[in-house]
Coordinates of all heavy atoms in Angstrom, one line a residue:
M8 N 42.1 44.1 -5.1 CA 41.0 44.8 -5.8 C 40.2 45.5 -4.7 O 39.8 44.8 -3.7 CB 40.2 44.0 -6.7 CG 39.0 44.6 -7.2 SD 38.5 43.9 -8.8 CE 37.3 42.8 -8.0
K9 N 39.8 46.7 -4.8 CA 39.0 47.4 -3.8 C 37.5 47.0 -4.1 O 37.0 46.8 -5.1 CB 39.2 48.9 -4.1 CG 38.3 49.7 -3.0 CD 38.8 51.2 -3.2 CE 38.1 52.1 -2.4 NZ 37.8 51.8 -1.0
W10 N 36.9 46.7 -2.8 CA 35.5 46.2 -2.9 C 34.6 47.5 -3.1 O 34.7 48.5 -2.5 CB 35.2 45.7 -1.6 CG 33.8 45.2 -1.5 CD1 33.3 44.0 -2.0 CD2 32.6 45.8 -1.1 NE1 32.0 43.9 -1.8 CE2 31.5 45.0 -1.2 CE3 32.5 47.0 -0.4 CZ2 30.2 45.4 -0.8 CZ3 31.0 47.5 -0.1 CH2 30.0 46.6 -0.2
F11 N 33.6 47.3 -4.0 CA 32.7 48.3 -4.1 C 31.3 47.7 -4.7 O 31.3 46.6 -5.3 CB 33.0 49.4 -5.1 CG 33.2 49.1 -6.5 CD1 32.3 49.3 -7.4 CD2 34.5 48.5 -6.9 CE1 32.5 48.9 -8.7 CE2 34.6 48.1 -8.2 CZ 33.6 48.3 -9.0
Q12 N 30.2 48.4 -4.5 CA 29.0 47.8 -4.9 C 28.2 48.7 -5.8 O 28.2 49.9 -5.5 CB 28.0 47.5 -3.7 CG 26.7 46.8 -4.1 CD 26.0 46.5 -2.9 OE1 26.5 46.3 -1.7 NE2 24.7 46.4 -3.1
K13 N 27.8 48.4 -7.0 CA 27.2 49.3 -7.9 C 25.7 48.9 -7.9 O 25.3 47.9 -7.3 CB 27.6 49.0 -9.4 CG 29.1 49.5 -9.5 CD 29.7 49.0 -10.8 CE 28.9 49.5 -11.9 NZ 29.7 49.3 -13.3
S14 N 24.9 49.8 -8.5 CA 23.4 49.7 -8.4 C 23.0 48.5 -9.5 O 21.9 47.9 -9.3 CB 22.7 50.8 -8.7 OG 23.1 51.3 -10.0
S15 N 23.9 48.2 -10.4 CA 23.6 47.1 -11.3 C 25.0 46.4 -11.6 O 26.0 47.1 -11.5 CB 22.7 47.5 -12.6 OG 23.6 48.3 -13.4
A16 N 24.9 45.2 -12.1 CA 26.0 44.3 -12.4 C 25.8 43.2 -13.2 O 24.7 42.8 -13.4 CB 26.6 44.0 -11.0
T17 N 26.9 42.7 -13.9 CA 26.7 41.5 -14.6 C 27.5 40.6 -13.9 O 28.8 40.8 -13.7 CB 27.1 41.6 -16.1 OG1 26.4 42.6 -16.7 CG2 27.1 40.4 -16.9
I18 N 27.0 39.4 -13.5 CA 27.8 38.3 -12.8 C 27.6 37.0 -13.5 O 26.8 36.8 -14.3 CB 27.3 38.2 -11.4 CG1 26.0 37.6 -11.1 CG2 27.5 39.5 -10.6 CD1 25.7 37.3 -9.7
R19 N 28.3 36.0 -13.1 CA 28.3 34.6 -13.7 C 28.0 33.8 -12.4 O 28.7 33.9 -11.3 CB 29.4 34.2 -14.4 CG 29.6 35.0 -15.7 CD 30.5 34.3 -16.7 NE 29.8 33.2 -17.3 CZ 29.6 33.2 -18.6 NH1 30.0 34.2 -19.2 NH2 28.9 32.3 -19.2
I20 N 27.1 32.8 -12.5 CA 26.8 31.8 -11.5 C 26.9 30.5 -12.1 O 25.9 30.0 -12.8 CB 25.6 31.9 -10.7 CG1 25.5 33.4 -10.2 CG2 25.5 31.0 -9.5 CD1 24.1 33.8 -9.4
E21 N 28.0 29.8 -12.0 CA 28.0 28.4 -12.8 C 27.0 27.4 -11.8 O 27.1 27.5 -10.7 CB 29.4 27.9 -12.6 CG 30.3 28.7 -13.6 CD 31.8 28.1 -13.6 OE1 32.0 27.2 -12.9 OE2 32.6 28.7 -14.1
P22 N 26.4 26.6 -12.6 CA 26.4 26.2 -14.0 C 25.6 27.0 -14.9 O 25.5 26.5 -16.1 CB 26.1 24.7 -13.9 CG 24.9 24.6 -13.0 CD 25.4 25.7 -11.9
H23 N 25.0 28.1 -14.6 CA 24.2 28.9 -15.6 C 25.2 29.3 -16.7 O 26.2 29.7 -16.6 CB 23.7 30.1 -14.9 CG 22.6 30.7 -15.7 ND1 22.7 31.5 -17.0 CD2 21.1 30.7 -15.6 CE1 21.6 31.8 -17.4 NE2 20.6 31.3 -16.7
P24 N 24.8 29.1 -18.0 CA 25.6 29.3 -19.2 C 25.8 30.6 -19.5 O 26.8 30.9 -20.4 CB 24.9 28.5 -20.3 CG 23.4 28.5 -19.9 CD 23.4 28.5 -18.4
K25 N 24.9 31.5 -19.1 CA 25.2 32.9 -19.5 C 25.4 33.9 -18.4 O 25.1 33.7 -17.3 CB 23.8 33.3 -20.3 CG 23.5 32.5 -21.6 CD 22.3 33.1 -22.1 CE 22.0 32.2 -23.3 NZ 20.7 32.5 -23.9
P26 N 26.0 35.1 -18.8 CA 26.2 36.2 -17.8 C 24.8 36.6 -17.4 O 23.8 36.6 -18.0 CB 27.0 37.3 -18.5 CG 27.5 36.5 -19.7 CD 26.6 35.5 -20.0
L27 N 24.8 37.0 -16.1 CA 23.4 37.5 -15.5 C 23.4 38.9 -15.2 O 24.3 39.3 -14.4 CB 23.0 36.6 -14.4 CG 22.9 35.1 -14.6 CD1 22.8 34.2 -13.3 CD2 22.0 34.6 -15.6
K28 N 22.4 39.6 -15.7 CA 22.4 41.0 -15.4 C 21.6 41.3 -14.1 O 20.5 40.7 -14.0 CB 21.7 41.8 -16.6 CG 22.7 42.1 -17.5 CD 22.4 43.5 -18.1 CE 23.6 44.0 -19.2 NZ 24.6 44.4 -18.6
I29 N 22.0 42.0 -13.2 CA 21.2 42.2 -12.0 C 21.3 43.8 -11.6 O 22.3 44.5 -11.9 CB 22.1 41.4 -10.8 CG1 22.0 40.1 -11.1 CG2 21.5 41.8 -9.4 CD1 23.4 39.6 -11.5
G30 N 20.1 44.1 -11.1 CA 19.9 45.4 -10.6 C 19.3 45.6 -9.4 O 18.8 44.8 -8.8
G31 N 19.3 46.9 -8.7 CA 18.5 47.0 -7.6 C 19.2 46.4 -6.4 O 20.4 46.3 -6.3
K32 N 18.4 46.0 -5.5 CA 18.7 45.5 -4.3 C 18.8 44.0 -4.1 O 18.8 43.5 -3.0 CB 17.9 46.1 -3.1 CG 17.8 47.6 -3.1 CD 16.8 48.1 -2.2 CE 17.0 49.7 -2.1 NZ 16.0 50.4 -1.2
E33 N 18.8 43.2 -5.2 CA 18.8 41.9 -5.2 C 20.0 41.2 -4.6 O 21.2 41.9 -4.7 CB 18.7 41.3 -6.7 CG 17.4 41.6 -7.2 CD 17.3 40.9 -8.6 OE1 18.2 41.3 -9.5 OE2 16.4 40.2 -9.0
T34 N 20.0 40.2 -3.9 CA 21.1 39.3 -3.5 C 21.4 38.4 -4.5 O 20.6 38.1 -5.5 CB 20.7 38.6 -2.2 OG1 19.7 37.5 -2.4 CG2 20.3 39.5 -1.0
V35 N 22.5 37.8 -4.3 CA 22.9 36.6 -5.4 C 21.9 35.5 -5.3 O 21.6 34.9 -6.2 CB 24.4 36.2 -4.9 CG1 24.5 34.9 -5.8 CG2 25.3 37.2 -5.4
L36 N 21.3 35.3 -4.2 CA 20.4 34.2 -4.1 C 19.1 34.6 -4.8 O 18.7 33.8 -5.6 CB 20.0 34.0 -2.6 CG 18.7 33.0 -2.3 CD1 19.2 31.6 -2.7 CD2 18.3 33.0 -0.8
D37 N 18.6 35.8 -4.7 CA 17.6 36.3 -5.5 C 17.7 35.9 -7.1 O 16.8 35.6 -7.8 CB 17.2 37.7 -5.4 CG 16.7 38.0 -3.9 OD1 16.3 37.3 -3.2 OD2 17.2 39.3 -3.5
V38 N 18.9 36.4 -7.4 CA 19.4 36.2 -8.9 C 19.4 34.7 -9.3 O 18.9 34.3 -10.5 CB 20.7 36.9 -9.2 CG1 21.2 36.6 -10.5 CG2 20.6 38.4 -8.8
A39 N 19.9 33.9 -8.4 CA 20.1 32.5 -8.7 C 18.6 31.9 -8.9 O 18.4 31.2 -9.8 CB 20.8 31.8 -7.6
L40 N 17.9 32.2 -8.1 CA 16.4 31.7 -8.0 C 15.6 32.2 -9.2 O 14.9 31.5 -9.8 CB 15.5 32.0 -6.7 CG 16.2 31.3 -5.5 CD1 15.5 31.9 -4.2 CD2 16.0 29.8 -5.5
S41 N 15.9 33.5 -9.6 CA 15.0 34.0 -10.7 C 15.5 33.5 -12.0 O 14.8 33.4 -13.0 CB 15.0 35.5 -10.7 OG 16.3 36.0 -10.8
N42 N 16.7 32.9 -12.0 CA 17.3 32.3 -13.2 C 17.2 30.7 -13.2 O 17.9 30.1 -13.8 CB 18.8 32.7 -13.5 CG 18.8 34.2 -14.0 OD1 18.4 34.3 -15.2 ND2 18.9 35.1 -13.1
K43 N 16.4 30.3 -12.2 CA 16.2 28.7 -12.1 C 17.3 27.9 -11.8 O 17.4 26.8 -12.3 CB 15.4 28.3 -13.3 CG 14.2 29.1 -13.7 CD 13.2 28.5 -14.6 CE 12.0 29.3 -15.0 NZ 11.5 30.1 -14.0
L44 N 18.3 28.4 -11.1 CA 19.4 27.7 -10.5 C 18.9 26.9 -9.3 O 18.1 27.3 -8.6 CB 20.6 28.5 -10.3 CG 21.3 29.1 -11.5 CD1 22.3 30.2 -11.2 CD2 22.2 28.0 -12.1
D45 N 19.4 25.7 -9.3 CA 19.1 24.8 -8.1 C 19.9 25.1 -7.0 O 21.1 24.5 -6.7 CB 19.3 23.2 -8.6 CG 18.9 22.3 -7.6 OD1 18.1 22.7 -6.7 OD2 19.3 21.2 -7.6
I46 N 19.5 26.0 -6.1 CA 20.2 26.5 -5.0 C 19.2 26.3 -3.7 O 18.0 26.7 -3.8 CB 20.7 27.8 -5.1 CG1 21.6 28.4 -3.9 CG2 19.7 28.8 -5.4 CD1 22.4 29.6 -4.2
G47 N 19.8 25.8 -2.6 CA 19.0 25.7 -1.4 C 18.6 27.1 -0.7 O 19.5 28.0 -1.0
H48 N 17.7 27.2 0.0 CA 17.4 28.5 0.8 C 16.3 28.2 1.8 O 15.3 28.8 1.8 CB 16.8 29.5 -0.3 CG 15.6 29.1 -1.1 ND1 15.8 28.2 -2.1 CD2 14.4 29.4 -1.0 CE1 14.6 28.0 -2.7 NE2 13.7 28.7 -1.9
T49 N 16.7 27.2 2.6 CA 15.8 26.7 3.7 C 15.2 27.8 4.7 O 14.0 27.9 5.0 CB 16.4 25.6 4.5 OG1 16.8 24.6 3.6 CG2 15.5 24.9 5.5
C50 N 16.1 28.8 4.9 CA 15.7 29.9 5.9 C 15.3 31.1 5.0 O 15.0 32.1 5.9 CB 16.8 30.3 6.8 SG 18.3 31.2 6.0
E51 N 15.0 31.0 3.7 CA 14.5 32.1 3.0 C 15.4 33.3 3.1 O 14.8 34.4 3.1 CB 13.0 32.3 3.3 CG 12.3 31.1 3.2 CD 11.9 30.7 1.7 OE1 12.1 31.5 0.9 OE2 11.7 29.6 1.4
G52 N 16.7 33.1 3.1 CA 17.5 34.4 3.0 C 17.8 35.0 4.4 O 18.4 36.2 4.3
M53 N 17.6 34.3 5.4 CA 17.9 34.9 6.8 C 19.5 34.8 7.1 O 19.8 35.3 8.2 CB 16.9 34.3 7.8 CG 15.4 34.6 7.4 SD 15.1 36.4 7.3 CE 15.3 36.9 8.8
G54 N 20.2 33.9 6.4 CA 21.5 33.7 6.8 C 21.8 32.8 7.8 O 22.8 32.6 8.3
S55 N 20.8 31.9 8.1 CA 21.0 30.9 9.2 C 21.2 29.5 8.8 O 21.7 28.7 9.6 CB 19.8 31.1 10.2 OG 18.7 30.7 9.6
C56 N 20.7 29.1 7.7 CA 20.7 27.7 7.2 C 21.9 27.2 6.5 O 22.3 26.0 6.6 CB 19.4 27.3 6.5 SG 19.5 28.0 4.9
T57 N 22.6 28.2 5.8 CA 23.8 27.8 5.0 C 23.6 27.0 3.8 O 24.4 26.5 3.1 CB 25.0 27.2 5.8 OG1 24.8 25.9 6.1 CG2 25.3 28.0 7.0
T58 N 22.3 26.8 3.4 CA 22.0 25.9 2.3 C 22.2 26.6 0.8 O 22.1 26.1 0.0 CB 20.5 25.3 2.3 OG1 19.6 26.4 2.4 CG2 20.3 24.4 3.4
C59 N 22.4 27.9 1.0 CA 22.5 28.7 -0.2 C 24.1 28.9 -0.4 O 24.5 29.9 -1.2 CB 21.9 30.1 -0.1 SG 22.5 31.1 1.3
R60 N 24.9 28.0 0.1 CA 26.4 28.2 0.0 C 26.8 28.3 -1.5 O 26.3 27.5 -2.3 CB 27.2 27.0 0.6 CG 27.9 27.3 1.8 CD 28.5 26.1 2.4 NE 28.0 24.7 1.7 CZ 29.0 23.9 1.0 NH1 30.1 24.2 1.0 NH2 28.3 22.7 0.5
V61 N 27.8 29.2 -1.9 CA 28.3 29.3 -3.1 C 29.8 29.5 -3.0 O 30.3 29.9 -1.9 CB 27.8 30.4 -4.0 CG1 26.3 30.2 -4.3 CG2 28.0 31.9 -3.2
F62 N 30.7 29.1 -4.0 CA 32.1 29.4 -4.1 C 32.5 30.7 -4.9 O 32.0 30.6 -6.0 CB 32.8 28.2 -4.4 CG 32.7 27.2 -3.4 CD1 31.7 26.1 -3.4 CD2 33.5 27.0 -2.3 CE1 31.5 25.1 -2.6 CE2 33.4 26.1 -1.4 CZ 32.4 25.1 -1.4
V63 N 33.2 31.4 -4.5 CA 33.7 32.6 -5.4 C 34.8 32.2 -6.2 O 35.9 31.7 -5.6 CB 34.0 33.8 -4.5 CG1 34.6 34.9 -5.3 CG2 32.9 34.4 -3.7
L64 N 34.7 32.0 -7.5 CA 35.8 31.8 -8.3 C 36.6 32.9 -8.8 O 37.8 32.9 -9.0 CB 35.2 31.0 -9.7 CG 34.4 29.7 -9.4 CD1 33.9 29.3 -10.7 CD2 35.1 28.8 -8.6
D65 N 36.1 34.1 -8.9 CA 36.7 35.2 -9.4 C 35.9 36.6 -8.9 O 34.8 36.5 -8.9 CB 36.7 35.3 -10.8 CG 37.9 36.2 -11.3 OD1 38.7 36.6 -10.5 OD2 37.8 36.6 -12.4
G66 N 36.8 37.5 -8.5 CA 36.1 38.8 -8.1 C 36.1 38.9 -6.6 O 36.5 37.9 -5.9
D67 N 35.5 40.1 -6.1 CA 35.4 40.3 -4.7 C 34.1 40.4 -4.3 O 33.3 41.2 -4.7 CB 36.3 41.6 -4.3 CG 36.4 41.8 -2.9 OD1 35.7 41.2 -2.1 OD2 37.1 42.7 -2.5
A68 N 33.6 39.5 -3.4 CA 32.2 39.4 -3.0 C 31.8 40.5 -1.9 O 30.8 40.4 -1.2 CB 31.7 38.0 -2.6
G69 N 32.9 41.2 -1.4 CA 32.8 42.1 -0.3 C 32.8 41.5 1.1 O 33.1 40.3 1.1
P70 N 32.7 42.3 1.9 CA 32.8 41.8 3.4 C 31.5 41.0 3.8 O 30.6 41.2 3.4 CB 32.9 43.0 4.3 CG 32.2 44.1 3.5 CD 32.5 43.8 2.0
R71 N 31.8 40.0 4.8 CA 30.8 39.2 5.1 C 29.9 40.0 6.1 O 30.3 40.8 6.9 CB 31.3 37.9 6.0 CG 32.1 37.0 5.3 CD 32.4 35.8 6.2 NE 33.5 35.0 5.6 CZ 33.3 34.0 4.7 NH1 32.2 33.7 4.4 NH2 34.3 33.3 4.2
T72 N 28.5 39.7 6.1 CA 27.6 40.3 7.1 C 27.9 39.6 8.4 O 28.6 38.6 8.5 CB 26.2 40.1 6.7 OG1 26.0 38.5 6.7 CG2 25.8 40.7 5.4
E73 N 27.4 40.2 9.5 CA 27.7 39.6 10.8 C 27.1 38.2 10.8 O 27.9 37.3 11.4 CB 27.0 40.5 11.8 CG 27.4 40.2 13.3 CD 26.8 41.1 14.3 OE1 26.6 42.4 14.0 OE2 26.4 40.7 15.4
I74 N 25.9 37.9 10.4 CA 25.3 36.6 10.5 C 26.2 35.6 9.6 O 26.4 34.4 10.0 CB 23.9 36.6 10.2 CG1 23.3 35.2 10.8 CG2 23.6 36.8 8.8 CD1 21.8 35.2 10.8
E75 N 26.5 36.0 8.5 CA 27.4 35.2 7.5 C 28.7 34.8 8.3 O 29.2 33.7 8.2 CB 27.7 35.8 6.2 CG 28.3 34.9 5.3 CD 28.8 35.5 3.9 OE1 28.7 36.8 3.8 OE2 29.1 34.8 3.1
Q76 N 29.3 35.9 8.9 CA 30.6 35.5 9.6 C 30.4 34.6 10.8 O 31.3 33.6 10.9 CB 31.1 36.8 10.2 CG 32.6 36.7 10.7 CD 33.5 36.2 9.6 OE1 33.7 36.9 8.6 NE2 34.3 35.2 9.9
E77 N 29.3 34.8 11.4 CA 29.0 33.8 12.6 C 28.9 32.2 12.0 O 29.5 31.4 12.4 CB 27.6 34.0 13.3 CG 27.8 35.2 14.2 CD 26.5 35.6 14.7 OE1 25.6 34.9 14.6 OE2 26.5 36.8 15.2
R78 N 28.1 32.1 10.8 CA 27.9 30.8 10.2 C 29.3 30.3 9.7 O 29.7 29.1 9.9 CB 27.0 30.8 9.1 CG 25.5 31.2 9.4 CD 24.8 30.1 10.1 NE 25.0 30.3 11.6 CZ 24.3 31.1 12.4 NH1 23.5 32.1 11.9 NH2 24.6 31.2 13.7
A79 N 30.1 31.1 9.1 CA 31.4 30.8 8.5 C 32.3 30.2 9.6 O 33.1 29.3 9.4 CB 32.0 31.9 7.8
D80 N 32.2 31.0 10.8 CA 33.3 30.7 11.8 C 32.7 29.3 12.3 O 33.6 28.3 12.7 CB 33.1 31.7 13.0 CG 33.9 33.0 12.5 OD1 34.6 32.9 11.6 OD2 33.7 33.9 13.1
E81 N 31.4 29.2 12.6 CA 30.9 27.8 13.1 C 31.3 26.6 12.1 O 31.5 25.6 12.7 CB 29.3 27.9 13.2 CG 28.9 28.7 14.3 CD 27.3 28.8 14.2 OE1 26.7 28.4 13.3 OE2 26.8 29.7 15.0
R82 N 31.2 26.8 10.9 CA 31.2 25.7 10.0 C 32.7 25.6 9.3 O 32.8 24.7 8.4 CB 30.1 25.8 9.0 CG 28.7 25.7 9.7 CD 27.7 25.5 8.8 NE 26.4 25.5 9.7 CZ 25.4 24.8 9.5 NH1 25.4 24.0 8.4 NH2 24.4 24.9 10.3
G83 N 33.5 26.6 9.7 CA 34.8 26.5 9.1 C 34.9 26.7 7.6 O 35.6 26.1 6.9
F84 N 34.1 27.7 7.1 CA 34.0 27.9 5.7 C 35.4 28.4 5.2 O 36.2 29.2 6.0 CB 33.1 29.2 5.4 CG 31.7 28.8 5.3 CD1 31.2 27.5 5.6 CD2 30.7 29.7 4.9 CE1 29.8 27.3 5.6 CE2 29.5 29.5 4.9 CZ 29.0 28.2 5.1
A85 N 35.8 28.0 4.0 CA 37.0 28.5 3.4 C 36.7 30.1 3.1 O 35.5 30.5 3.0 CB 37.2 27.8 2.0
D86 N 37.7 30.8 2.8 CA 37.6 32.2 2.5 C 36.7 32.5 1.3 O 36.0 33.6 1.2 CB 39.0 32.9 2.2 CG 39.8 33.1 3.5 OD1 39.3 32.9 4.6 OD2 41.0 33.3 3.3
N87 N 36.6 31.6 0.3 CA 35.9 31.9 -0.8 C 34.5 31.3 -0.7 O 33.7 31.1 -1.8 CB 36.5 31.5 -2.1 CG 36.7 29.9 -2.2 OD1 36.6 29.1 -1.2 ND2 36.6 29.3 -3.5
E88 N 34.2 30.6 0.4 CA 32.8 30.0 0.6 C 32.0 31.1 1.2 O 32.1 31.6 2.4 CB 33.0 28.7 1.5 CG 32.0 27.8 1.5 CD 32.6 26.6 2.3 OE1 33.6 26.5 2.7 OE2 31.8 25.6 2.4
R89 N 30.8 31.4 0.4 CA 29.9 32.5 0.9 C 28.5 32.1 0.9 O 28.2 31.2 0.3 CB 30.1 33.7 0.0 CG 31.5 34.2 -0.1 CD 32.1 34.8 1.2 NE 31.2 35.8 1.8 CZ 31.5 37.1 1.4 NH1 32.4 37.5 0.8 NH2 30.6 38.1 2.0
L90 N 27.7 32.8 1.6 CA 26.2 32.6 1.5 C 25.5 33.5 0.5 O 25.6 34.7 0.6 CB 25.6 32.8 2.9 CG 26.1 32.0 4.0 CD1 25.4 32.5 5.3 CD2 25.8 30.5 3.7
A91 N 24.9 32.9 -0.5 CA 24.4 33.7 -1.6 C 23.2 34.7 -1.1 O 23.2 35.8 -1.7 CB 23.6 32.8 -2.7
C92 N 22.7 34.4 0.0 CA 21.6 35.3 0.5 C 22.2 36.6 1.2 O 21.5 37.5 1.4 CB 20.7 34.7 1.4 SG 21.3 34.2 3.0
Q93 N 23.5 36.5 1.4 CA 24.1 37.6 2.2 C 25.1 38.4 1.2 O 25.6 39.4 1.8 CB 24.9 37.1 3.4 CG 24.1 36.3 4.3 CD 23.0 37.2 5.0 OE1 23.3 38.1 5.7 NE2 21.8 36.8 4.8
I94 N 25.2 38.1 0.0 CA 26.1 39.0 -0.8 C 25.3 39.5 -2.0 O 24.3 39.1 -2.5 CB 27.3 38.0 -1.4 CG1 26.9 36.9 -2.1 CG2 28.2 37.8 -0.1 CD1 28.0 36.1 -2.7
K95 N 25.7 40.8 -2.2 CA 25.1 41.5 -3.3 C 25.9 41.3 -4.6 O 27.1 41.2 -4.5 CB 25.1 43.1 -3.0 CG 24.5 43.3 -1.8 CD 22.9 43.2 -1.8 CE 22.2 43.6 -0.6 NZ 20.9 43.4 -0.6
P96 N 25.3 41.2 -5.8 CA 26.1 41.1 -7.1 C 27.1 42.4 -7.2 O 26.6 43.6 -7.1 CB 25.0 41.2 -8.1 CG 23.6 40.9 -7.3 CD 23.9 41.5 -6.0
I97 N 28.3 42.0 -7.5 CA 29.3 43.0 -7.8 C 29.8 42.8 -9.2 O 30.1 41.6 -9.5 CB 30.4 42.9 -6.7 CG1 29.8 43.3 -5.4 CG2 31.4 43.9 -7.1 CD1 30.7 43.2 -4.2
E98 N 30.0 43.7 -10.0 CA 30.3 43.6 -11.4 C 31.6 42.6 -11.4 O 32.6 42.8 -10.7 CB 30.8 44.9 -12.0 CG 31.1 44.9 -13.4 CD 29.9 44.6 -14.2 OE1 28.8 45.0 -13.8 OE2 30.1 43.9 -15.3
G99 N 31.5 41.7 -12.4 CA 32.4 40.7 -12.6 C 32.6 39.5 -11.7 O 33.4 38.6 -11.9
L100 N 31.7 39.5 -10.7 CA 31.8 38.4 -9.6 C 31.5 37.2 -10.4 O 30.5 37.0 -11.3 CB 30.8 38.6 -8.6 CG 30.8 37.8 -7.4 CD1 32.2 37.9 -6.7 CD2 29.7 38.1 -6.5
K101 N 32.3 36.0 -10.2 CA 32.1 34.8 -10.8 C 31.9 33.9 -9.7 O 32.9 33.6 -8.8 CB 33.2 34.5 -11.8 CG 33.0 33.1 -12.4 CD 34.1 32.9 -13.5 CE 33.9 31.5 -14.2 NZ 35.0 31.3 -15.1
L102 N 30.8 33.0 -9.7 CA 30.6 32.1 -8.6 C 30.2 30.7 -9.1 O 29.9 30.6 -10.2 CB 29.3 32.6 -7.7 CG 29.1 34.0 -7.3 CD1 27.9 34.6 -6.9 CD2 30.1 34.2 -6.0
K103 N 30.2 29.8 -8.2 CA 29.9 28.4 -8.5 C 29.1 27.8 -7.5 O 29.4 28.0 -6.3 CB 31.1 27.6 -8.8 CG 30.9 26.2 -9.2 CD 32.2 25.4 -9.4 CE 31.9 24.1 -10.0 NZ 33.0 23.2 -9.9
L104 N 28.0 27.1 -7.9 CA 27.2 26.3 -6.9 C 28.0 25.1 -6.4 O 28.9 24.5 -7.2 CB 25.9 25.8 -7.4 CG 25.0 27.1 -8.0 CD1 23.6 26.4 -8.3 CD2 24.8 28.1 -7.0
P105 N 27.9 24.6 -5.3 CA 28.7 23.5 -4.8 C 28.2 22.2 -5.6 O 27.1 22.2 -6.2 CB 28.2 23.3 -3.4 CG 27.5 24.4 -2.9 CD 27.0 25.2 -4.2
Ligands
FES27 S1 19.1 30.9 2.5 FE1 19.5 30.3 4.3 S2 21.6 31.0 4.7 FE2 21.1 31.8 2.9

């Protein structure tokens, strides 16, 4: 599937029971926090702490940012292990909190 980013999207973040509509420039972390999901964010979205880790269950989360790639390499992340503060909502993306 070709990666692309739209200005708005509907995604799922388990264990939230409903699809979440997202628009604008929000990250997945922003969306998770605004929907009261229990997700870490010690560095406040700077991409350095990795407490906002999520797993991609379905869909394409797009390429890693440079800082996310550095953290992934350091910590041996699986391909579907991503940082919520570094990814943008993409239509149909389905994620799960650890
Ligand atoms: S909030 Fe720290 S890496 Fe995402």
Side-chain angles (χ1 to χ4, degrees):
M8 179 160 85
K9 184 169 172 50
W10 179 84
F11 67 96
Q12 185 177 335
K13 294 170 60 174
S14 59
S15 66
T17 300
I18 68 169
R19 298 195 79 110
I20 309 175
E21 293 182 0
H23 197 284
K25 295 182 178 174
L27 305 172
K28 281 221 178 270
I29 298 108
K32 298 177 180 173
E33 291 179 303
T34 65
V35 166
L36 176 63
D37 295 329
V38 174
L40 291 173
S41 65
N42 284 281
K43 306 199 181 324
L44 284 162
D45 184 18
I46 185 168
H48 53 288
T49 305
C50 74
E51 299 295 334
M53 300 304 290
S55 60
C56 70
T57 72
T58 58
C59 66
R60 246 174 359 114
V61 293
F62 291 94
V63 177
L64 300 180
D65 197 19
D67 186 346
R71 294 186 194 273
T72 62
E73 188 175 329
I74 193 164
E75 184 185 15
Q76 188 63 58
E77 288 174 14
R78 297 290 90 75
D80 291 344
E81 286 170 7
R82 301 192 181 215
F84 279 9
D86 288 346
N87 73 333
E88 203 170 356
R89 302 295 304 265
L90 296 179
C92 68
Q93 300 297 304
I94 56 177
K95 303 289 187 187
I97 296 171
E98 186 65 35
L100 191 59
K101 186 175 177 185
L102 305 161
K103 182 179 181 195
L104 300 184

